[in-house]
């Protein structure tokens, strides 16, 4: 057998790399379409729920008319590759009819479509960046994920009770296998689904739920798991944020600052960066909850000195890495050998795992019973609790 020449080997390697790139591109584009369809299915579930409650379900528009009108909208309002993939999809007639049903129900597609397009683009890019990572979960896990990621209310109820739920869960599993952070997609889609419910409810003359603040939407994640945050959380106003989170800016906050300084002696500048970070009130709220539950907060913080991976990386991102490191240190179980192992802080992962959930304030009610392990009170089924108290 003849030995391949170096140039032949190089050519084969190039062809293989090109083939993998094409495969990843096709997979990423398909994932973006699946994400778009999943969010649209959420919106359709919310629309149907609102109209069924009002006993005013409307007949769908003619398929050809819906396709013609919807194609103009997606070409105009979505990125070119996303719109092209949608128009080529076998389910396009169904998608077109769903879009037109939403429009007729009062949803502003010129507002909704670009936002859903952003979600599809994020999914596309995640698949491209994580083509080799597979992390599938079963259908039951998606019920749990939805309940932990979305607040109790009409949107979550509509999705979980929709006849299309099994298909939605299957889509989530497929996206997860392609490296997509599905919880992030759910979080990003929540406000859009809430807007759909508001638009349809307005058209029916019914009341609708208010949207959460941007800070509330972006604050949920590992650091705040088990906490109930106020719907109108405002981290740009620190004094107000402390009041919203029922944290004393004097005695309590000063105590938590001191604990952080004690945990990383010789790193006063780093401690100051952590305290100055936008998410410090959330860190303080986590410590307050742990203290209330009788957990050894300072022992958890001591992990910062044992695992110093937060020191590695661009200086400009040090504050972000510290917030993630503290969240990790506070969140891992005490006395667990695995918990004491080195965990590298990844700021990209930190952003990717940030989820949006409904902020209703249970923490402020000092006598309330604790929620299930690892699940905030607002993430359980049942009526949401009232907003937090101020001091």
């Amino acid at each position: 057998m003849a030995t391949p020449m170096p140039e032949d080997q190089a050519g084969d390697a190039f062809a293989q790399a090109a083939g993998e790139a094409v495969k990843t591109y096709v997979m990423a584009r398909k994932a973006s379409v699946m994400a778009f369809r999943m969010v649209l299915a959420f919106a359709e579930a919310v629309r149907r729920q609102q109209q069924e409650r009002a006993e005013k379900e409307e007949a769908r528009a003619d398929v050809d008319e819906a396709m013609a009108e919807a194609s103009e909208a997606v070409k105009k309002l979505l990125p070119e590759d996303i719109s092209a993939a949608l128009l080529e999809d076998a389910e396009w007639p169904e998608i077109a009819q769903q879009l037109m049903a939403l429009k007729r129900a009062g949803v502003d597609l010129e507002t909704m479509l670009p936002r859903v397009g952003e979600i599809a683009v994020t999914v596309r890019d995640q698949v491209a960046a994580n083509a080799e990572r597979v992390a599938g979960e079963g259908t039951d896990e998606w019920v749990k994920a939805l309940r932990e990621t979305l607040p109790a209310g009409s949107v979550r109820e509509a999705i979980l009770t929709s006849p299309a739920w099994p298909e939605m869960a299957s889509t989530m599993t497929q996206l997860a296998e392609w490296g997509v952070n599905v919880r992030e997609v759910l979080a990003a889609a929540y406000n859009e689904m809430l807007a759909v419910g508001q638009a349809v409810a307005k058209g029916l003359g019914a009341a609708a739920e208010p949207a959460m603040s941007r800070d509330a939407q972006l604050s949920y994640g590992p650091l705040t798991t088990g906490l109930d945050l106020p719907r109108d959380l405002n981290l740009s106003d620190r004094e107000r944020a402390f009041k919203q989170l029922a944290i004393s800016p004097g005695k309590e906050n000063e105590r938590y600052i001191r604990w952080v300084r004690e945990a990383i002696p010789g790193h006063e500048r780093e401690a100051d960066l952590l305290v100055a970070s936008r998410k410090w009130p959330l860190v303080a709220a986590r410590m307050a909850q742990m203290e209330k539950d009788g957990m050894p907060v300072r022992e958890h913080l001591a992990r910062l000195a044992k695992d110093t991976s937060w020191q590695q990386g661009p200086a400009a991102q040090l504050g972000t890495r510290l917030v993630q490191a503290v969240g990790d240190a506070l969140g891992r179980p005490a006395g667990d050998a695995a918990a004491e192992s080195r965990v590298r802080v990844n700021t990209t992962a930190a952003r990717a795992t940030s989820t949006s959930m409904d902020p209703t304030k249970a923490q402020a009610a000092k006598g309330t019973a604790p929620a299930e392990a690892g699940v905030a009170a607002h993430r359980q089924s049942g009526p949401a609790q009232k907003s937090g108290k101020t001091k």
Side-chain angles (χ1 to χ4, degrees):
M1 181 182 294
T3 302
M5 298 296 290
E7 56 269 25
D8 294 332
Q9 293 177 326
D12 290 343
F14 177 80
Q16 184 177 0
E20 288 298 320
V22 170
K23 182 179 178 181
T24 298
Y25 170 77
V26 172
M27 184 168 62
R29 203 171 81 144
K30 182 178 179 181
S32 68
V33 171
M34 291 180 69
F36 185 96
R37 287 169 53 188
M38 182 178 71
V39 175
L40 193 60
F42 293 165
E44 178 74 353
V46 173
R47 179 190 69 81
R48 284 181 178 277
Q49 182 195 58
Q50 292 285 356
Q51 292 185 332
E52 285 172 2
R53 285 177 174 175
E55 298 181 351
K56 195 177 178 181
E57 178 67 24
E58 297 181 0
R60 286 194 171 189
D62 176 76
V63 175
D64 292 335
E65 292 179 4
M67 289 173 63
E69 188 173 352
S71 64
E72 291 183 10
V74 299
K75 287 178 181 177
K76 175 184 176 183
L77 301 170
L78 296 179
E80 185 176 351
D81 61 331
I82 303 296
S83 62
L86 280 171
L87 294 174
E88 295 169 6
D89 192 80
E91 300 296 325
W92 169 242
E94 174 73 11
I95 294 171
Q97 284 194 306
Q98 288 179 339
L99 287 172
M100 290 304 100
L102 290 170
K103 181 178 180 180
R104 290 167 60 179
V107 176
D108 183 358
L109 295 185
E110 293 206 359
T111 299
M112 176 186 172
L113 280 178
R115 293 175 177 171
V116 180
E118 290 178 4
I119 295 173
V121 167
T122 298
V123 168
R124 178 198 65 195
D125 293 345
Q126 284 186 2
V127 171
N130 299 280
E132 297 180 358
R133 186 170 66 86
V134 176
E137 295 181 4
T139 300
D140 290 344
E141 284 298 315
W142 294 123
V143 174
K144 180 176 182 289
L146 204 74
R147 292 192 180 281
E148 291 180 352
T149 307
L150 302 186
S154 61
V155 172
R156 193 177 77 184
E157 176 189 349
I159 294 171
L160 289 175
T161 59
S162 170
W165 167 247
E167 183 179 350
M168 296 177 196
S170 177
T171 298
M172 293 179 202
T173 298
Q174 183 66 74
L175 291 173
E177 289 175 352
W178 285 341
V180 175
N181 186 323
V182 178
R183 290 176 184 247
E184 183 181 52
V185 174
L186 292 173
Y190 174 73
N191 264 3
E192 299 313 311
M193 298 311 95
L194 202 56
V196 168
Q198 289 173 330
V200 176
K202 182 178 179 181
L204 297 172
E209 298 178 50
M212 66 179 73
S213 71
R214 185 66 172 165
D215 279 339
Q217 182 183 16
L218 296 177
S219 291
Y220 278 87
L223 177 63
T224 58
T225 298
L227 299 180
D228 276 337
L229 305 185
R231 182 182 291 275
D232 59 345
L233 180 65
N234 181 8
L235 294 177
S236 62
D237 185 338
R238 176 155 292 194
E239 183 176 353
R240 181 187 176 196
F242 279 135
K243 289 181 179 179
Q244 290 182 305
L245 296 168
I247 300 294
S248 165
K251 185 177 179 180
E252 285 183 302
N253 184 50
E254 290 174 2
R255 179 166 70 251
Y256 301 144
I257 292 174
R258 185 178 70 253
W259 287 357
V260 167
R261 291 181 181 278
E262 292 173 352
I264 48 175
H267 293 280
E268 289 77 14
R269 173 180 169 273
E270 288 81 354
D272 288 342
L273 280 174
L274 173 62
V275 174
S277 70
R278 186 178 180 85
K279 289 191 174 182
W280 170 253
L282 299 176
V283 175
R286 165 56 63 204
M287 293 192 216
Q289 184 62 51
M290 292 177 68
E291 193 177 13
K292 174 187 173 183
D293 294 339
M295 299 177 68
V297 179
R298 280 181 284 187
E299 290 181 22
H300 282 260
L301 288 174
R303 293 166 173 168
L304 294 173
K306 298 177 182 178
D307 173 15
T308 58
S309 59
W310 49 267
Q311 297 181 32
Q312 303 169 17
Q317 298 175 6
L318 179 57
T320 301
R321 293 197 302 274
L322 273 167
V323 170
Q324 174 66 8
V326 171
D328 177 74
L330 295 175
R332 286 182 282 141
D336 187 345
E340 302 303 330
S341 64
R342 181 182 178 84
V343 178
R344 182 173 299 277
V345 176
N346 184 314
T347 54
T348 300
R351 289 191 297 271
T353 55
S354 177
T355 58
S356 319
M357 289 163 277
D358 181 36
T360 54
K361 186 70 178 70
Q363 180 190 353
K366 297 296 183 181
T368 53
E372 294 177 7
V375 182
H378 77 274
R379 302 180 197 176
Q380 298 175 312
S381 57
Q385 295 179 340
K386 296 182 180 180
S387 180
K389 70 181 182 181
T390 58
K391 293 187 176 181

